[in-house]
């Protein structure tokens, strides 16, 4: 990266560590401040943790222009060896600075310390290593063979090329995972990127940009990192004619608007959106084990996960029994200061999100659901108690809308056919789970549920080499795995007459 100064808002790329207080945007190889800032809060206390640069359209235009130049005028898109080396450097830098990133993630995201050893930090770091390794062996050319046409031999083949400039827009809940699951495959493919961090967790994303600037040979403009509280910035990224691909993680409502906005320039759009996943407990399952899985899953990161199973489908005849077991397990959930290694559940991200969750619970009770346990705000910070709702109508708001909180809705079903019908009774199709003493029965039922990922008897599908994404209004495309790389590639077909 560059080392000389560029005016009053740009600074040298060396110096501060990833966990330092001052965070800067990365634009065209420069670590930069902005003319204004916005606060980032510690959700466990509500106190201001730090301030992030509040980019406007001017800074965003500069980032897009830098990414365009880097794609069009450098060898990044064609130099595989350079990309492998840079991804390896990024993986090393993330590994070396993971303790600083861990503390920042705990403080800004409200992620319990235990989760940073998994999906909040260390597993995302593994994604970068995975794509560095994949790039070394992944074929960029596919031979289609020879054929004869009108007396001449023709060779046909397909080459995979970088799709171009990528606008990557992330959500707040797993900022390291979401950023690196977009950034690593995009870079491996040869794309250049403008990464926009979520307004609720900007410091974590900015820290990634600083590590790229300070510890890798990634050329200027290949990666640009901006943060902003201005919705105009997101609109610019999704409509700008110099952006070729938009990858977004967030709500389905916002995803719809992005699709509409990107249509004017017919961009390639890749969306990872909401979910209302169902955990189906069949009548021969181990109910005690299922209760444990259901309780701990819904409280994972305080329910702030798009793939979390927030609907629990149980046999009608065993409804009350299973509800009692889940309620007992929820009583064992520890919540509080996420820095405490003994804490399982941290806070919600903001007071706004807590208001949303509390309002949905109140409306569910008004609509006839039974509040078994929880449903309470806990101060200081933005905590919400683990909440269980029973006798939930499968067509009600609480059973249909994503809540993003530690709230589990229990729905009774009559038989396997009814369970499948209820599981598929959703605009979403992101994930799910099936439990049965008969694994083949569980798999057969899972195959009828229209979702992108499914867990059988507690199986963990989440890994860098496993494609992740949804059906229906849970999104378009897949992250991670070989499909995650191919989202950022175009295919060019060739044919040549053989002399």
């Amino acid at each position: 990266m560059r080392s000389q100064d560029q005016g009053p808002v740009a600074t040298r790329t060396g110096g501060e560590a990833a966990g330092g207080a001052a965070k800067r945007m990365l634009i065209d190889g420069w670590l930069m401040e902005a003319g204004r800032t916005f606060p980032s809060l510690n959700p466990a206390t509500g106190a201001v943790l730090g301030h992030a640069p509040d980019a406007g359209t001017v800074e965003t235009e500069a980032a897009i222009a830098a990414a365009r130049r880097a794609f069009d005028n450098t060898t990044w898109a064609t130099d595989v060896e350079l990309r492998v080396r840079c991804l390896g450097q990024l993986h090393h830098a993330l590994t070396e600075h993971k303790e600083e990133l861990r503390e920042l993630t705990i403080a800004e995201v409200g992620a319990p310390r235990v989760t940073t050893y998994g999906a909040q930090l260390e597993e995302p770091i593994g994604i970068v290593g995975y794509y560095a390794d994949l790039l070394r062996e992944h074929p960029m050319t596919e031979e289609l063979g020879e054929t004869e046409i009108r007396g001449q031999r023709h060779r046909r083949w397909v080459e995979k090329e970088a799709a171009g400039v990528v606008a990557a827009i992330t959500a707040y809940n797993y900022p390291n995972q979401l950023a690196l699951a977009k950034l690593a495959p995009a870079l491996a493919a040869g794309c250049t990127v403008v990464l926009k961090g979520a307004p609720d967790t900007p410091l974590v994303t900015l820290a990634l940009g600083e590590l790229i600037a300070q510890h890798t040979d990634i050329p200027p403009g290949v990666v640009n990192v901006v943060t902003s509280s201005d919705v105009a910035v997101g609109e610019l990224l999704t409509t700008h004619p110099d952006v070729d691909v938009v990858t977004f993680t967030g709500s389905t409502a916002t995803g719809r608007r992005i699709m509409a906005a990107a249509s004017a320039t017919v961009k390639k759009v890749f969306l990872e959106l909401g979910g209302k996943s169902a955990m189906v407990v069949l009548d021969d399952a181990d109910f005690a084990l299922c209760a444990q899985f259901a309780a701990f899953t819904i409280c994972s990161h305080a329910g702030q996960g798009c793939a979390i199973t927030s609907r629990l489908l149980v046999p009608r005849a065993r409804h009350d029994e299973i509800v009692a077991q889940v309620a007992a397990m929820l009583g064992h959930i520890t919540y509080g200061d996420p820095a405490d290694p003994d804490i399982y559940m941290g806070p919600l991200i903001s007071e706004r999100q807590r208001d949303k969750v509390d309002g949905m619970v109140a409306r569910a009770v008004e609509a006839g659901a039974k509040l078994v346990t929880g449903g309470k705000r806990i101060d200081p910070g933005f905590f919400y108690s683990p909440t269980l709702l029973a006798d939930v109508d499968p067509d009600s708001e609480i059973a249909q809308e994503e809540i993003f909180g530690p709230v589990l809705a229990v729905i009774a079903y009559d038989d396997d056919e009814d369970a499948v019908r209820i599981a598929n009774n959703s605009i979403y199709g992101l994930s799910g789970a099936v439990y049965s003493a008969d694994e083949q029965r569980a798999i057969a039922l899972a195959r009828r549920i229209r979702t992108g990922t499914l867990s059988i008897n507690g199986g963990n599908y989440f890994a860098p080499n496993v494609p992740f994404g949804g059906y229906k209004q849970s999104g378009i495309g897949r992250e991670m795995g070989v499909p995650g790389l191919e989202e950022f590639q175009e295919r060019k077909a060739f044919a040549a007459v053989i002399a």
Side-chain angles (χ1 to χ4, degrees):
M1 287 293 183
R2 300 175 181 177
S3 60
Q4 72 266 32
D5 289 330
Q6 181 186 320
V9 298
T11 61
R12 297 177 187 271
T13 60
E16 295 180 9
K23 291 288 179 285
R24 296 161 291 177
M25 298 183 295
L26 175 60
I27 298 178
D28 202 14
W30 300 94
L31 288 172
M32 306 178 69
E33 298 173 355
R36 60 187 184 277
T37 63
F38 65 98
S40 176
L41 304 184
N42 181 331
T45 64
V48 174
L49 177 66
H51 289 79
D54 198 1
T57 56
V58 172
E59 293 91 345
T60 308
E61 286 274 10
I64 295 170
R68 186 78 262 167
R69 286 194 302 271
F71 186 79
D72 292 340
N73 302 327
T74 76
T75 62
W76 178 258
T78 56
D79 192 337
V80 174
E81 290 185 3
L82 173 61
R83 302 204 302 270
V84 169
R85 183 173 84 246
C86 289
L87 283 168
Q89 291 170 341
L90 177 55
H91 182 256
H92 179 74
L94 290 165
T95 301
E96 288 292 301
H97 290 271
K98 68 181 178 182
E99 295 309 320
E100 301 158 40
L101 291 170
R102 191 187 316 282
E103 299 307 319
L104 181 57
T105 301
I106 291 168
E108 186 177 47
V109 185
R113 183 172 298 277
V114 65
T115 66
T116 65
Y117 294 95
Q120 281 287 4
L121 179 60
E122 294 199 13
E123 287 177 359
I125 290 174
I127 294 172
V128 181
Y130 166 79
Y131 280 108
D133 292 339
L134 179 66
L135 188 55
R136 293 184 178 95
E137 61 186 37
H138 186 68
M140 296 297 180
T141 300
E142 179 185 357
E143 290 290 340
L144 302 180
E146 297 179 10
T147 188
E148 182 174 329
I149 301 176
R150 292 186 290 276
Q152 289 183 312
R153 299 293 298 173
H154 295 253
R155 174 197 168 208
R156 294 167 174 170
W157 74 98
V158 174
E159 294 183 3
K160 300 171 185 177
E161 299 181 348
V165 175
V166 174
I169 304 171
T170 63
Y172 67 79
N173 54 331
Y174 287 86
N176 295 301
Q177 163 67 30
L178 300 177
L180 295 175
K182 299 179 188 304
L183 191 60
L187 296 179
C191 295
T192 59
V193 182
V194 180
L195 173 64
K196 178 184 177 296
D200 285 312
T201 53
L203 304 181
V204 171
T205 308
L206 292 169
L208 298 178
E210 290 192 349
L211 288 178
I212 289 168
Q214 296 165 351
H215 299 285
T216 77
D217 295 328
I218 295 175
V222 169
V223 178
N224 306 271
V225 181
V226 299
T227 52
S228 180
S229 64
D230 187 352
V231 295
V233 167
E235 293 172 357
L236 180 61
L237 287 170
T238 56
T239 58
H240 201 288
D242 283 341
V243 172
D244 302 296
V245 180
V246 176
T247 173
F248 168 78
T249 298
S251 73
T252 293
T254 302
R256 294 185 193 114
R257 292 196 294 271
I258 287 174
M259 281 192 72
S263 67
T265 47
V266 197
K267 299 185 192 306
K268 190 173 184 179
V269 178
F270 165 33
L271 305 172
E272 201 275 280
L273 306 176
K276 195 67 182 178
S277 302
M279 176 187 291
V280 181
V281 178
L282 296 181
D283 54 16
D284 61 349
D286 181 336
F287 295 154
L289 180 64
C290 293
Q292 179 179 340
F293 272 109
F296 279 84
T297 299
I298 197 61
C299 294
S300 175
H301 194 29
Q304 297 171 112
C306 53
I308 285 175
T309 45
S310 55
R311 292 183 294 160
L312 180 61
L313 277 53
V314 302
R316 191 174 303 278
R318 313 299 292 271
H319 174 277
D320 293 350
E321 174 189 350
I322 296 173
V323 165
Q325 291 176 310
V326 175
M329 290 306 306
L330 287 174
H332 294 294
I333 300 292
T334 56
Y335 53 88
D337 181 3
D340 184 338
D342 294 327
I343 290 298
Y344 181 79
M345 190 183 89
L348 295 172
I349 193 64
S350 65
E351 187 66 34
R352 179 184 66 255
Q353 179 61 20
R354 186 165 67 168
D355 286 344
K356 175 194 171 185
V357 171
D358 195 46
M360 290 184 70
V361 170
R363 291 193 298 274
V365 173
E366 291 174 3
K370 178 183 178 183
L371 179 61
V372 179
T373 187
K376 297 177 181 178
R377 298 169 181 262
I378 302 167
D379 298 316
F382 311 129
F383 293 89
Y384 199 75
S385 59
T387 301
L388 182 63
L389 295 167
D391 297 315
V392 172
D393 182 338
D395 295 320
S396 64
E397 178 195 41
I398 202 71
Q400 291 292 321
E401 297 297 327
E402 187 173 47
I403 188 167
F404 244 52
V407 180
L408 183 62
V410 183
I411 302 170
Y413 67 83
D414 295 318
D415 53 27
D416 288 11
E417 290 293 325
D418 196 34
V420 171
R421 181 190 65 79
I422 293 172
N424 287 330
N425 177 29
S426 174
I427 65 169
Y428 302 111
L430 187 55
S431 192
V434 181
Y435 289 81
S436 172
D438 182 341
E439 182 180 280
Q440 293 308 308
R441 179 188 177 195
I443 293 173
L445 188 137
R447 286 184 172 134
R448 299 174 61 195
I449 298 175
R450 291 182 50 77
T451 65
T453 56
L454 273 156
S455 169
I456 307 298
N457 290 330
N460 184 2
Y461 53 78
F462 193 80
N465 64 338
V466 179
F468 177 82
Y471 288 23
K472 299 188 280 185
Q473 294 189 39
S474 282
I476 298 172
R478 293 293 183 271
E479 286 186 335
M480 301 192 295
V482 172
L485 175 66
E486 293 177 341
E487 292 291 347
F488 298 103
Q489 293 179 318
E490 294 284 9
R491 288 172 174 78
K492 181 181 289 184
F494 292 84
V497 173
I498 300 172

